[in-house]
Amino acid sequence: MEEWLMDDRLVATHLGDTYENYLGAVVPPVFLNSLHVFPSVEDYYNADRLQEGTYIYGRSGNPTVHLVERKIAALEHGVRALCFASGMAAASTAVLAVCKAGSHVICVRNAYGPLKEFLSNYCVPQLGMEVSYVSGEDVGEFEEQMRPNTRLIILESPSSIVFSLQDIRAVAQLARSRGVRTYIDNSYCSPVFQKPLELGVDLVMHTMSKYLGGHSDIIGGVLVSRDEELMCKISADIREWLGGILGPMEGWLVLRGLRTLHVRMAQHQQNAQAVAEFLERHPLVKRVHYPGLQSHPQHELMMRQQSGNSGLLSFELDLPAEKVAASVNQEVFRIFKVGVSWGGFESLVTMPFYKLSPQQAEQLGTTPGIVRIHCGLEGAEHQIEDLNRFLEHLSR
Ligand SMILES: *Cc1c(COP(=O)(O)O)cnc(C)c1O
């Protein structure tokens, strides 16, 4: 990569802006094509499909999607990235690339729900795989669960509902010493606030539907690694077979999102920190889950491995879940919209565990009444005003 692109902000704004290739256009165009043509059959067969930047057919590669991959690989300080049609396509492809029938996986209990369902309800019954779930708060737990057939450790730090962390460097070191691969969902921090490849992780995954896209207008995912061989295998075989590559239009929208990634992340963090501190002071709020708070039980670990926190947080109230749910509606909230997902410009509120039993929620470290909010870009004063209205409504 060019020397002047060593600063992540320059990568996010300018990598791939080769004006001379695109008639001086300040934004590279979207390549809306399904195939590339060759001068002769000889040339077609000579194309090296293992080589990054070889374009043959749209299911194996596309110039716009490739530009996203180069940009995200550089932002994560990896060597190669591969884009997928969703975060789940990236996640399930990673599991299938690393594991085989009979493999054992260790996964953190607070990992993304659909990924746990894929492991427990597909990989176990259909592929005879084994899965152990751990809290992930202590490296010793991973060590205890290791078996001769352990192939993969799945991390998510911080997790996206109760914001529990894992000591990434320590887990990666343990795994490496046992020949086990590590995978982490880095969607919460984005590459701006955490670089897991630097800490020794093998595969980093992002849902691009969240902060990387940033505008709530696409579904997409990505895997990044420093292991060229593994990425070649995923690119030239597994992604092609499973067929889950990102579409070019989505890729182009991610490129647009990435240009403002650093300013958006700084603003999400500033808003969420102010909101978390407001909630923590409120008498009706029992507990706030935000790694940026000094009161977070793993705040010190956060300071060691992250350089910031994003706009997502959750809190628990001293009230029954039903009473809380009755106030989470659009008559009470004006800025926060009721909906899943996060990472866009807009503020959101949801109760992700409302349908769980108290015992199920307790296993995940919380209660069914937990409220998760995403602090969008509207401004902390508006978000606090909205939450104040909600808490006043609840105290009536
Ligand atoms: C949304 C989400 C995913 C899944 O991404 P999709 O693009 O929706 O498939 C994975 N991990 C986390 C933490 C998420 O929030």
Side-chain angles (χ1 to χ4, degrees):
M1 200 194 314
E2 298 97 302
E3 188 75 22
W4 67 276
L5 283 174
M6 288 317 286
D7 180 324
D8 289 343
R9 289 167 304 174
L10 297 175
V11 169
T13 46
H14 285 307
L15 189 150
D17 291 347
T18 48
Y19 309 111
E20 63 280 15
N21 291 353
Y22 309 121
L23 307 173
V26 71
V27 174
V30 54
F31 279 80
L32 281 173
N33 58 301
S34 65
L35 78 153
H36 295 254
V37 293
F38 294 82
S40 69
V41 168
E42 204 58 43
D43 287 305
Y44 169 78
Y45 281 103
N46 282 339
D48 181 2
R49 56 193 279 280
L50 289 180
Q51 180 66 40
E52 236 193 297
T54 300
Y55 309 118
I56 298 169
Y57 181 59
R59 202 182 71 243
S60 54
N62 170 279
T64 304
V65 173
H66 184 214
L67 189 46
V68 182
E69 294 171 346
R70 283 175 55 210
K71 218 162 194 169
I72 293 176
L75 288 173
E76 279 289 357
H77 299 178
V79 299
R80 187 151 183 201
L82 290 167
C83 289
F84 293 84
S86 69
M88 273 307 293
S92 53
T93 301
V95 172
L96 295 175
V98 173
C99 299
K100 58 181 184 181
S103 293
H104 174 236
V105 174
I106 306 173
C107 179
V108 292
R109 212 169 279 145
N110 288 319
Y112 186 61
L115 177 57
K116 290 192 293 179
E117 287 164 22
F118 172 67
L119 293 170
S120 295
N121 302 339
Y122 182 83
C123 295
V124 171
Q126 304 276 79
L127 299 177
M129 285 173 55
E130 299 167 341
V131 188
S132 306
Y133 291 102
V134 295
S135 84
E137 276 156 37
D138 181 6
V139 191
E141 285 176 279
F142 294 93
E143 185 143 33
E144 264 168 40
Q145 294 298 331
M146 287 279 191
R147 300 176 191 173
N149 57 337
T150 306
R151 289 293 276 259
L152 180 66
I153 292 179
I154 295 181
L155 307 176
E156 186 179 325
S157 183
S159 63
S160 62
I161 295 174
V162 299
F163 306 97
S164 53
L165 278 64
Q166 299 99 55
D167 186 332
I168 299 170
R169 190 189 291 277
V171 177
Q173 202 168 6
L174 165 73
R176 210 151 272 219
S177 74
R178 305 290 178 90
V180 171
R181 298 265 194 195
T182 45
Y183 160 107
I184 191 168
D185 186 330
N186 198 29
S187 303
Y188 172 87
C189 280
S190 91
V192 175
F193 292 142
Q194 183 164 269
K195 304 259 198 254
L197 298 177
E198 302 266 16
L199 301 170
V201 169
D202 293 308
L203 272 169
V204 168
M205 175 275 199
H206 286 278
T207 160
M208 301 196 294
S209 325
K210 313 289 165 62
Y211 287 123
L212 299 187
H215 294 76
S216 301
D217 50 10
I218 62 136
I219 297 288
V222 65
L223 294 175
V224 202
S225 179
R226 287 180 172 176
D227 186 335
E228 193 104 46
E229 207 177 308
L230 175 64
M231 294 310 265
C232 260
K233 175 177 145 184
I234 297 178
S235 156
D237 288 339
I238 302 171
R239 187 177 65 176
E240 258 194 82
W241 293 335
L242 297 179
I245 195 174
L246 186 76
M249 195 63 222
E250 280 80 359
W252 189 85
L253 286 167
V254 173
L255 289 174
R256 180 161 79 168
L258 288 176
R259 288 185 203 271
T260 56
L261 180 65
H262 287 80
V263 286
R264 285 188 288 108
M265 294 310 288
Q267 197 59 49
H268 283 299
Q269 165 165 252
Q270 192 182 319
N271 294 349
Q273 184 73 33
V275 164
E277 286 170 15
F278 159 77
L279 288 170
E280 194 169 43
R281 283 193 302 271
H282 200 282
L284 215 56
V285 176
K286 195 169 72 180
R287 196 169 162 203
V288 182
H289 301 268
Y290 188 62
L293 289 175
Q294 298 256 338
S295 61
H296 188 280
Q298 295 169 296
H299 184 72
E300 253 177 60
L301 175 60
M302 185 285 290
M303 296 288 282
R304 256 191 285 142
Q305 61 191 24
Q306 296 174 216
S307 57
N309 289 279
S310 62
L312 201 61
L313 62 115
S314 64
F315 56 96
E316 294 168 33
L317 297 152
D318 249 332
L319 294 167
E322 294 71 23
K323 175 142 168 82
V324 177
S327 294
V328 179
N329 61 57
Q330 255 21 127
E331 266 155 50
V332 177
F333 282 107
R334 289 176 200 163
I335 301 286
F336 288 89
K337 304 297 171 198
V338 180
V340 293
S341 195
W342 44 273
F345 56 92
E346 78 281 32
S347 289
L348 294 165
V349 55
T350 181
M351 293 183 66
F353 292 159
Y354 186 53
K355 294 292 174 187
L356 296 189
S357 70
Q359 293 75 21
Q360 287 170 319
E362 196 188 334
Q363 279 217 316
L364 299 169
T366 184
T367 65
I370 189 170
V371 179
R372 188 186 71 181
I373 57 175
H374 177 248
C375 298
L377 299 173
E378 299 93 342
E381 70 275 30
H382 302 302
Q383 289 153 349
I384 289 172
E385 192 184 307
D386 227 24
L387 286 161
N388 217 4
R389 194 169 23 248
F390 167 63
L391 292 165
E392 264 171 30
H393 195 264
L394 277 174
S395 56
R396 270 191 229 140

